[in-house]
C-alpha cells in the first residue's frame, strides 16, 4: 500500500504542532507505542548518526499529527551507544527488555549492526537498518532500507570504468578498517577481476575510526595515479571524512585528474568541509537532497521546519541525505505493516512489512521485497557542487532489486534469497 501523497503533505504540515500538543488528539486510554532509537549521538559516528535520530523523532511527530498508529501515539525511547560497538548490544537489550519498545530504528556502521544482531535474534525482535552496507547477510529480524552493493558500489565502479566516468584503469580502495569497507572491497576486487583488471592496478588501504592524518595516503594516491588513469573508491566512515577531503584539497588532487567516489559521504558530512576544492568528486547514493520532485520538496520542508522548531545546531543550514530518507521510509513501512497486521507483535509485523511500498523522496515508489527483507532502490551518482550539494550525473531508470549475496563471491549462488 502506498502512502497517499496529499495525505503526506497534510501530515507534513501538521508536524508543526509539535510533540507536546499532539497527545491531546489521543484518548487518555490510548497507550503509547514505544519506538527504540539506537544511534550514536557522541563519538566518531555522531557526525552521521545524529541526523538520523532527528529524522526518527520528526517522523514520529508527523505520524502522531495524523492520528498515530491504530489510534495510539508513538513515543520515542532514545539511547546513545556513543560509537561504542559493544555498547550498541547493551543498549539494544535495554530497549527491548526494559523499555519494551515495539521496534528499533538504528545503527550506521556494520560493526554496530553485527554487534546487535545476536540480541535481536535471541529476543526475536525487529530492527530497521537505514544505511548502505556490504551485503552478505539476510536476517529475519532485520529490514534493510539502505543499499546492498549492487545498488551502490557496483554501479558506481562501472560508471568510473566507462567513458562517461573517465575510463578508470587503476583503482585505489580506501576505507575505514572494519567489516563494511573490507567486505565491500572484497566484492569490488572480485568484480574488477571479472573485468580483467590486473592485481597491480588495485591498491587497498585502511585507516582506523577517527583517523585524521591523510597527508601520506593522499601522497600515495598521487604516486599510484602516475601509473595510469586512476580513481579512488572511498569507504571512509564517520568524522575521518573531514580531514580526508581537506587533504585532497590541500594536495590539489582534482576530480578531473583522480576522481574520488564515496559511499559514506553525503550532504551532512560535507557541511563541515570547504567544498570548493572538491567540486566534481563523486558520491553514489539512492537519494540526494537536490532531486526535484514533490515528495522530496515536502520531505526537505518537513525536516527544515523540524530543525528550526527543535533549535538544532545551525538549524537554518540543515540538509537531508540518503540514510535520513531510508530511515523515513522504514518508519512509514513499519506503520503501514502494523496497520495491516492490526498488531505490533513481531511475527505478524515481519510478514506484513514484506511487499509494502511507499512514495519516497527519491521520486520513486519503492518496495520492500516480498522475500529478501531489502528495499528496491534507484541508484544515483552525483558530483559535489561548490555549495555542498550534488548534481546527478547518472541514474538507473528505476528501482533495482537488492542482491544481498553478491554474485561475485564464490558459493553465494547456493544461498537462499530469503531469511533461512
Amino acid at each position: 500500500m502506498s502512502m497517499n501523497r496529499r495525505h503526506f503533505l497534510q501530515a507534513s504540515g501538521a508536524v508543526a504542532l509539535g510533540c507536546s500538543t499532539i497527545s491531546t488528539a489521543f484518548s487518555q486510554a490510548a497507550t503509547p507505542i514505544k519506538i527504540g532509537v539506537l544511534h550514536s549521538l557522541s563519538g566518531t559516528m555522531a557526525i552521521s548518526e545524529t541526523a538520523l535520530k532527528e529524522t526518527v523523532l520528526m517522523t514520529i511527530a508527523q505520524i502522531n499529527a495524523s492520528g498515530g498508529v491504530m489510534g495510539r501515539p508513538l513515543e520515542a525511547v532514545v539511547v546513545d551507544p556513543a560509537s561504542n560497538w559493544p555498547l550498541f548490544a547493551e543498549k539494544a537489550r535495554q530497549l527491548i527488555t526494559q523499555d519494551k519498545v515495539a521496534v528499533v530504528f538504528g545503527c550506521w556502521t556494520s560493526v554496530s549492526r553485527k554487534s546487535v544482531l545476536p540480541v535481536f535474534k535471541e529476543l526475536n525482535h525487529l530492527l530497521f537498518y537505514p544505511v548502505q552496507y556490504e551485503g552478505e547477510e539476510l536476517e529475519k529480524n532485520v529490514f534493510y532500507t539502505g543499499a546492498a552493493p549492487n545498488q551502490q558500489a557496483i554501479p558506481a565502479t562501472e560508471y568510473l570504468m566507462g567513458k562517461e566516468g573517465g575510463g578508470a584503469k587503476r583503482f585505489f580502495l580506501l576505507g575505514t578498517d572494519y567489516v563494511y569497507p573490507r567486505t565491500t572491497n572484497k566484492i569490488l576486487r572480485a568484480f574488477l577481476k571479472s573485468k580483467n583488471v590486473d592485481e597491480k592496478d588495485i591498491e587497498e588501504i585502511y585507516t582506523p575510526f577517527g583517523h585524521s592524518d591523510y597527508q601520506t595516503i593522499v601522497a600515495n594516491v598521487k604516486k599510484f595515479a602516475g601509473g595510469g588513469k586512476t580513481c579512488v573508491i572511498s569507504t571512509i566512515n564517520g568524522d575521518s571524512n573531514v580531514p580526508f577531503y581537506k587533504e585532497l584539497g590541500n594536495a590539489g588532487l582534482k576530480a578531473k585528474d583522480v576522481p574520488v567516489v564515496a559511499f559514506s559521504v553525503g550532504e551532512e558530512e560535507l557541511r563541515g568541509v570547504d567544498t570548493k576544492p572538491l567540486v566534481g568528486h563523486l558520491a553514489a547514493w539512492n537519494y540526494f537532497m537536490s532531486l526535484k520532485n514533490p515528495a522530496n520538496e515536502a520531505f526537505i520542508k518537513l525536516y527544515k521546519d523540524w530543525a528550526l522548531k527543535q533549535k538544532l545546531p545551525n538549524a537554518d543550514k540543515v540538509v537531508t541525505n540518503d540514510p535520513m530518507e531510508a530511515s523515513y521510509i522504514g518508519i512509514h513501512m513499519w506503520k503501514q505493516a502494523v496497520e495491516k497486521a492490526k498488531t505490533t507483535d513481531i511475527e505478524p509485523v515481519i510478514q506484513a512489512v514484506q511487499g509494502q511500498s511507499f512514495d519516497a523522496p527519491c521520486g520513486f515508489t519503492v518496495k520492500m521485497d516480498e522475500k529478501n527483507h531489502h528495499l528496491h532502490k534507484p541508484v544515483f551518482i552525483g558530483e559535489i557542487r561548490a555549495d555542498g550539494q550534488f548534481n546527478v550525473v547518472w541514474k538507473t531508470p528505476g528501482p533495482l532489486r537488492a542482491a544481498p549475496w553478491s554474485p561475485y563471491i564464490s558459493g553465494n549462488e547456493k544461498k537462499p534469497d530469503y531469511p533461512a
Side-chain angles (χ1 to χ4, degrees), residues 85-340:
W85 318 132
L87 191 57
F88 266 87
E90 290 178 35
K91 294 293 186 182
R93 188 175 295 277
Q94 173 195 316
L95 287 169
I96 296 165
T97 62
Q98 295 177 32
D99 299 307
K100 307 293 185 187
V101 300
V103 62
V104 177
F105 296 91
C107 301
W108 179 293
T109 68
S110 286
V111 69
S112 66
R113 189 190 70 257
K114 295 284 190 188
S115 175
V116 304
L117 267 180
V119 176
F120 282 88
K121 291 166 76 170
E122 175 200 334
L123 301 173
N124 193 29
H125 218 271
L126 183 56
L127 171 69
F128 277 76
Y129 176 65
V131 184
Q132 91 296 341
Y133 84 120
E134 70 280 1
E136 306 307 299
E137 182 180 296
L138 183 45
E139 294 288 348
K140 169 194 153 188
N141 300 94
V142 183
F143 282 98
Y144 306 80
T145 58
N150 74 302
Q151 297 170 312
Q152 187 191 36
I154 297 294
T157 306
E158 286 182 316
Y159 173 80
L160 289 166
M161 296 175 83
K163 185 179 178 183
E164 204 178 353
K169 305 294 184 191
R170 311 197 84 201
F171 302 85
F172 200 105
L173 312 181
L174 176 60
T176 303
D177 193 3
Y178 74 106
V179 61
Y180 161 64
R182 284 192 175 271
T183 307
T184 298
N185 288 337
K186 178 183 177 184
I187 291 166
L188 287 179
R189 270 188 177 272
F191 168 73
L192 292 169
K193 187 177 179 182
S194 78
K195 299 291 185 182
N196 301 313
V197 175
D198 199 292
E199 282 289 324
K200 70 176 173 52
D201 292 320
I202 306 172
E203 181 66 271
E204 195 170 340
I205 299 288
Y206 296 95
T207 56
F209 277 103
H211 189 73
S212 60
D213 183 3
Y214 282 91
Q215 194 169 353
T216 303
I217 288 171
V218 169
N220 288 342
V221 169
K222 289 181 88 168
K223 185 178 178 183
F224 184 77
K229 186 62 180 172
T230 295
C231 66
V232 176
I233 298 174
S234 170
T235 46
I236 296 171
N237 269 254
D239 54 12
S240 291
N241 278 298
V242 174
F244 169 63
Y245 279 97
K246 282 182 177 173
E247 187 55 41
L248 273 186
N250 293 342
L253 212 57
K254 297 196 184 305
K256 63 181 175 58
D257 303 319
V258 182
V260 175
V261 65
F263 301 154
S264 292
V265 172
E267 296 85 345
E268 183 69 17
E269 289 74 19
L270 290 177
R271 279 213 293 168
V273 181
D274 176 11
T275 49
K276 290 182 186 64
L278 307 181
V279 168
H281 287 300
L282 304 163
W285 289 105
N286 315 100
Y287 165 88
F288 286 112
M289 184 176 177
S290 58
L291 296 173
K292 303 294 185 193
N293 66 71
N296 193 32
E297 287 165 18
F299 179 59
I300 293 166
K301 182 180 187 306
L302 189 65
Y303 190 66
K304 286 185 171 181
D305 290 350
W306 174 262
L308 289 168
K309 182 176 152 297
Q310 300 298 316
K311 297 182 172 60
L312 300 186
N314 300 308
D316 58 329
K317 296 184 176 70
V318 293
V319 294
T320 56
N321 66 18
D322 179 292
M324 291 167 71
E325 190 222 22
S327 297
Y328 182 75
I329 292 168
I331 299 167
H332 277 290
M333 284 193 168
W334 173 82
K335 171 191 182 286
Q336 291 170 188
V338 169
E339 289 172 341
K340 179 182 178 183

Side-chain angles (χ1 to χ4, degrees), residues 372-385:
N372 72 15
H373 283 220
H374 286 67
L375 208 57
H376 295 210
K377 297 174 79 76
V379 186
F380 301 96
I381 297 173
E383 284 186 350
I384 297 174
R385 303 191 319 215

